């Protein structure tokens, strides 16, 4: 069952007693690409994923995937999408092959197609020997089986909740490459605490904090927005920190020496001040580079949390 | 873009019966590789081997006890162990049936697939009943062999007994499923089932006998029909043992009564098990 690449979340809430795990979240996303769903621990990411995949029912609101309601048409939706939510564990007594065959058969695939998937995709994600029992495998190996199972039946939308949990850097790189390849014509919704993983793979971000949607924007925009209050200036000739401090850079709040002849200048973010600071810097020495300070998404993430506290 | 497998649109909307069959198939594969299955198999084989071995060595069945027919012999032989075997096997196969989904991370693997909870429950129930039935047939096979050896024949009534045994397995399994839905921890579900089936039911029957009340609501009481049905003599529903100052009523269920008790347990337990399972979220311990 093919599912259109649309996710519509409207006024979605999940309340446990007095605690609002998810608080009236609404968003709509369409088409192929990778979307990151970010937030601190306990922000409500996994709860939202659980509601989007029908594992739990919302207290209010609804989720529509491909135009179908996840509560009413759960089975129809799940046969056309791939899911990896929380830390799924295949049954320990089944073999790797049986674990993947089980999911493939439930999705209505032919045995030969499942075998092909194990052979091709399985090789790509380096799943363990298909005849091995799941119970004998490491956490990372089990995670790769679950990852392979999520991509069965060529799903049009794939939900990946912390997919690289328990994996080593080499395994993470494999997963990143697969996401990069598949996002070209699939919709991938990714939740990860590894922000580098998000920067590398996702062009859009939905940020939630304490159960509420805070920001939904392009990754670059978010990085730019939260990093534009600092610039990095680099000189051709030798310039010391004392040279910078003595230069009377009145519009600069703070100066950090990054390396020889390279400084990070913090200011109020106004563009005219950014231009004025450049003029002042040029008086100190020959500037070879003057650009927004490119820190990781992590900084934007931290800033967003601070901003919403 | 390299595509793996087949497009989702290549396949129809899976019907629930097929889901049940798939889940039952993989559940059987799962159980066959578990330690508990090996343990149950060893226990059943040991019970059968001991029964057969002792009977062959002593020849007690025919000569000492004086049982007149194959039916009486099989009935007597199975009456000591069969209901106990069924209850223990059901506890071990059914005691964690749904809690393995709601109380462990396996739930996140299966319950995010296109399958309804009712299909998971029925698929698992059928797998458990079939495997338990397979194990119980070993005990029957032992008695069939002995009967053939001693009497040169096997009563055809054994088929009724086998059907009743399947029915009893279904009832015990349903009750174990109910416990598995109530308890989050799979181990507690199994342990609780064993305690109720083996100890609590026996205590209740013992107390009711002393107080002269028919234990019509106890499953092990109803389960006696599994061996009673082999006997050609009429069932003595009530017999009284009188000692000075004490009178104890011993009840034997009628066949219809045993079937009603087993049906009640099967239907009520399975429905309740499903209702609880349906509304329980996956929350690993």
């Amino acid at each position: 069952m093919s599912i259109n690449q649309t996710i519509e979340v409207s006024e979605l809430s999940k309340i446990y007693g007095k605690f609002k795990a998810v608080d009236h979240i609404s968003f709509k996303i369409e088409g192929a690409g990778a979307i990151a769903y970010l937030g601190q621990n306990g922000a409500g990411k996994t709860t939202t994923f659980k509601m989007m995949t029908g594992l739990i029912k919302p207290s209010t609101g609804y989720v529509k995937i491909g135009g179908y309601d996840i509560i009413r048409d759960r089975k129809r939706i799940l046969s056309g999408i791939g899911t990896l939510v929380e830390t799924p564990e295949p049954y320990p007594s089944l073999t790797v092959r049986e674990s993947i065959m089980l999911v493939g058969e439930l999705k209505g695939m032919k045995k030969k197609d499942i075998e092909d998937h194990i052979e091709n995709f399985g090789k790509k994600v380096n799943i363990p020997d298909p005849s091995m029992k799941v119970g004998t495998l490491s956490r990372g190996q089990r995670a790769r089986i679950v990852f392979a199972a999520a991509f069965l039946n060529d799903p049009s939308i794939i939900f990946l909740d912390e997919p690289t949990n328990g994996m080593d850097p080499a395994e993470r790189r494999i997963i990143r490459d697969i996401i990069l390849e598949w996002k070209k014509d699939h919709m991938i919704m990714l939740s990860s605490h590894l922000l580098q993983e998000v920067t590398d793979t996702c062009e859009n971000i939905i940020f939630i904090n304490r159960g509420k949607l805070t920001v939904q924007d392009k990754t670059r925009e978010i990085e730019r927005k939260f990093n534009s209050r600092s610039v990095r200036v680099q000189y051709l000739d030798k310039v010391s920190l004392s040279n910078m401090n003595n230069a009377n850079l009145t519009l600069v709040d703070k100066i950090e020496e990054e390396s020889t002849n390279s400084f990070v200048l913090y200011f109020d973010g106004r563009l005219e001040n950014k231009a004025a600071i450049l003029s002042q810097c040029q008086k100190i020495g020959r500037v070879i580079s003057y650009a927004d300070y490119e820190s990781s998404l992590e900084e934007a993430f931290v800033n967003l949390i601070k901003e919403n506290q | 873009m390299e595509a793996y497998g087949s497009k989702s649109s290549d396949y129809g909307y899976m019907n629930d019966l097929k889901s049940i069959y798939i889940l039952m198939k993989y559940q059987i594969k799962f159980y066959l590789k578990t330690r508990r299955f090996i343990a149950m198999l060893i226990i059943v084989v040991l019970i059968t081997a001991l029964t057969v071995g002792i009977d062959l060595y002593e020849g007690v069945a025919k000569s000492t006890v004086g049982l007149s027919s194959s039916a009486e012999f099989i009935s007597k032989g199975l009456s000591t162990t069969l209901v106990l075997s069924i209850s223990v096997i059901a506890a071990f196969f059914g005691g964690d049936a749904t809690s393995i989904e709601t109380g462990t991370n396996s739930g996140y693997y299966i319950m995010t697939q296109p399958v309804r909870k009712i299909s998971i429950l029925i698929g698992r129930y059928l797998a458990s009943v079939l495997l338990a039935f397979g194990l119980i047939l070993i005990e029957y096979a032992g008695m069939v062999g002995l009967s053939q050896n001693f009497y040169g024949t096997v009563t055809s009534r054994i088929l009724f007994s086998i059907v009743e045994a399947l029915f009893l397995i279904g009832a015990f399994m349903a009750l174990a499923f109910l416990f598995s839905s109530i308890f989050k921890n799979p181990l507690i579900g199994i342990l609780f089932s064993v305690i109720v089936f083996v100890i609590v039911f026996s205590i209740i029957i013992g107390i009711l006998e002393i107080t002269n009340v028919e234990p019509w609501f106890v499953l092990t009481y109803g389960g006696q029909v599994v061996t009673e049905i082999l006997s050609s003599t009429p069932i003595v529903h009530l017999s009284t043992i009188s000692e000075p100052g004490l009178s104890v009523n011993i009840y034997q269920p009628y066949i219809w009564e045993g079937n009603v008790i087993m049906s009640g347990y099967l239907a009520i337990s399975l429905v309740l098990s499903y209702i609880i399972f349906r509304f329980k979220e996956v929350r690993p311990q």
Side-chain angles (χ1 to χ4, degrees):
Chain A
M1 184 64 61
S2 185
I3 293 288
N4 288 336
Q5 289 172 333
T6 58
I7 300 175
E8 186 188 350
V9 170
S10 177
E11 291 297 312
L12 195 68
S13 300
K14 185 68 187 177
I15 301 162
Y16 294 103
K18 288 181 180 175
F19 175 66
K20 287 183 179 174
V22 173
D23 190 2
H24 292 90
I25 282 180
S26 299
F27 60 83
K28 187 172 182 180
I29 42 181
E30 289 177 292
I35 307 104
Y37 199 67
L38 296 183
Q40 283 178 291
N41 284 340
K45 302 186 297 290
T46 298
T47 306
T48 315
F49 268 56
K50 283 181 181 174
M51 287 191 279
M52 287 195 289
T53 53
L55 265 173
I56 55 173
K57 285 184 181 171
S59 304
T60 67
Y62 64 82
V63 176
K64 283 188 176 177
I65 294 176
Y68 297 110
D69 186 283
I70 191 65
I71 302 298
R72 281 202 303 270
D73 297 300
R74 183 178 170 274
K75 199 175 162 187
R76 181 193 293 265
I77 292 170
L78 291 177
S79 34
I81 67 170
T83 57
L84 193 165
V85 182
E86 278 273 10
T87 43
E89 294 274 354
Y91 301 124
S93 295
L94 292 183
T95 64
V96 174
R97 173 178 281 105
E98 287 166 345
S99 303
I100 297 174
M101 293 291 286
L102 168 60
V103 173
E105 286 187 43
L106 285 174
K107 285 191 166 187
M109 290 176 72
K110 292 170 187 160
K111 282 185 182 168
K112 189 189 170 299
D113 291 334
I114 309 170
E115 287 288 356
D116 286 348
H117 182 83
I118 294 171
E119 179 66 24
N120 299 322
F121 194 87
K123 245 182 204 166
K124 206 159 203 182
V125 294
N126 196 19
I127 58 164
D129 178 351
S131 63
M132 284 180 80
K133 268 170 89 170
V134 171
T136 63
L137 303 174
S138 71
R139 196 176 161 202
Q141 287 174 314
R142 293 200 300 271
R144 276 179 274 146
I145 300 168
V146 174
F147 189 83
F151 282 74
L152 276 162
N153 209 21
D154 194 18
S156 48
I157 302 172
I158 304 151
F159 290 94
L160 299 174
D161 180 20
E162 308 276 3
T164 54
N165 256 0
M167 292 187 185
D168 63 34
E171 291 168 333
R172 278 191 212 132
R173 180 171 289 192
I174 293 169
I175 302 303
R176 186 199 63 189
D177 291 345
I178 287 169
I179 293 173
L180 286 172
E181 184 189 334
W182 277 66
K183 76 171 188 174
K184 290 173 195 164
D185 51 9
H186 296 78
M187 180 192 278
I188 296 176
M189 193 151 187
L190 173 76
S191 156
S192 175
H193 67 278
L194 299 170
L195 295 171
Q196 192 57 49
E197 194 171 87
V198 169
T199 314
D200 291 347
T201 54
C202 300
E203 53 274 4
N204 287 291
I205 288 178
I206 293 171
F207 184 89
I208 63 164
N209 192 33
R210 294 178 183 175
K212 291 186 175 179
L213 193 149
T214 311
V215 174
Q216 180 181 2
D217 211 336
K218 294 196 178 304
T219 308
R220 291 288 159 221
E221 279 301 305
I222 291 176
E223 284 184 317
R224 193 193 59 73
K225 183 180 170 190
F226 288 96
N227 292 311
S228 61
R229 291 174 191 181
S230 57
V231 288
R232 177 194 280 127
V233 58
Q234 288 179 300
Y235 290 96
L236 177 64
D237 311 304
K238 181 170 172 54
V239 173
S240 66
L241 183 60
S242 59
N243 291 143
M244 294 294 286
N245 284 331
N246 295 334
N248 196 23
L249 299 171
T250 51
L251 299 169
V252 173
D253 300 325
K254 192 172 85 173
I255 302 171
E256 274 178 10
E257 188 173 18
E258 201 180 35
S259 61
T260 314
N261 303 336
S262 178
F263 303 90
V264 178
L265 312 178
Y266 295 88
F267 66 110
D268 63 7
R270 291 168 63 188
L271 289 176
E272 57 269 31
N273 288 345
K274 189 176 174 182
I277 293 167
L278 174 61
S279 302
Q280 291 174 335
C281 287
Q282 284 169 330
K283 290 174 186 165
I284 302 167
R286 288 184 289 176
V287 174
I288 55 169
S289 167
Y290 184 80
D292 285 345
Y293 178 46
E294 283 285 331
S295 68
S296 67
L297 185 63
E298 201 161 328
E299 195 154 317
F301 186 78
V302 171
N303 282 323
L304 272 167
I305 292 166
K306 275 185 198 163
E307 212 172 63
N308 287 285
Q309 270 174 349
Chain B
M1 173 70 210
E2 193 182 346
Y4 301 97
S6 306
K7 283 273 177 197
S8 305
S9 53
D10 292 348
Y11 299 97
Y13 184 35
M14 288 282 295
N15 63 51
D16 289 332
L17 281 178
K18 194 159 186 201
S19 298
I20 290 170
Y21 168 72
I22 293 164
L23 286 157
M24 184 185 78
K25 183 175 74 176
Y26 282 95
Q27 193 62 33
I28 289 174
K29 287 184 180 186
F30 169 76
Y31 277 141
L32 285 175
K33 292 173 192 166
T34 54
R35 285 196 203 106
R36 84 183 82 165
F37 175 76
I38 306 294
M40 291 296 108
L41 184 64
I42 291 169
I43 289 170
V44 170
V45 168
L46 274 177
I47 289 171
T48 309
L50 280 172
T51 310
V52 171
I54 291 168
D55 277 4
L56 282 176
Y57 183 73
E58 298 283 344
V60 282
K62 195 173 178 183
S63 57
T64 314
V65 182
L67 296 168
S68 58
S69 67
S70 163
E72 298 297 327
F73 168 75
I74 295 174
S75 175
K76 181 78 182 170
L78 290 175
S79 66
T80 47
T81 58
L82 191 64
V83 175
L84 181 68
S85 300
I86 287 173
S87 62
V88 171
I89 291 169
F92 274 90
F93 283 161
D96 66 346
T98 63
S99 53
I100 202 164
E101 300 298 351
T102 54
T104 74
N105 282 317
S106 294
Y108 293 124
Y109 192 66
I110 289 300
M111 299 229 259
T112 50
Q113 306 309 330
V115 58
R116 290 181 223 281
K117 279 186 172 177
I118 186 76
S119 303
I120 296 175
L121 188 95
I122 294 175
R124 187 154 294 169
Y125 177 76
L126 292 176
S128 312
V129 168
L130 281 177
L131 273 184
F133 185 55
L135 288 172
I136 290 305
L137 283 181
I138 295 172
E139 286 195 33
Y140 274 99
M143 292 312 295
V144 164
L146 280 177
S147 174
Q148 187 65 40
N149 183 54
F150 288 136
Y151 299 89
T153 183
V154 179
T155 175
S156 59
R157 297 180 72 85
I158 197 166
L159 293 174
F160 294 113
S161 175
I162 289 172
V163 171
E164 291 288 1
L166 181 60
F167 200 8
L168 184 62
I169 291 168
F172 267 114
M173 200 64 80
L175 192 55
F177 266 57
L178 173 60
F179 295 148
S180 83
S181 291
I182 293 169
F183 296 104
K184 198 100 197 164
N185 187 315
L187 270 179
I188 292 177
I190 292 173
L191 198 63
F192 188 81
S193 301
V194 172
I195 291 169
V196 170
F197 295 172
V198 179
I199 301 169
V200 175
F201 278 168
S202 303
I203 292 171
I204 292 172
I205 289 177
I207 292 170
L208 292 179
E209 277 176 352
I210 295 168
T211 51
N212 296 334
V213 176
E214 184 187 359
W216 57 267
F217 52 88
V218 180
L219 183 54
T220 43
Y221 170 71
Q224 289 177 39
V225 297
V226 173
T227 49
E228 277 177 11
I229 203 166
L230 284 159
S231 178
S232 52
T233 52
I235 289 167
V236 182
H237 182 61
L238 173 63
S239 52
T240 306
I241 301 169
S242 294
E243 294 287 329
L246 178 70
S247 175
V248 176
N249 283 348
I250 306 291
Y251 289 92
Q252 270 196 305
Y254 296 112
I255 302 300
W256 66 264
E257 189 185 11
N259 286 335
V260 168
I261 293 169
M262 291 191 286
S263 306
Y265 268 93
L266 196 155
I268 294 168
S269 301
L270 217 49
V271 168
L272 284 178
S273 173
Y274 172 64
I275 291 169
I276 298 168
F277 180 46
R278 191 179 189 300
F279 292 101
K280 238 179 188 176
E281 291 179 7
V282 181
R283 280 192 192 165
Q285 301 282 299

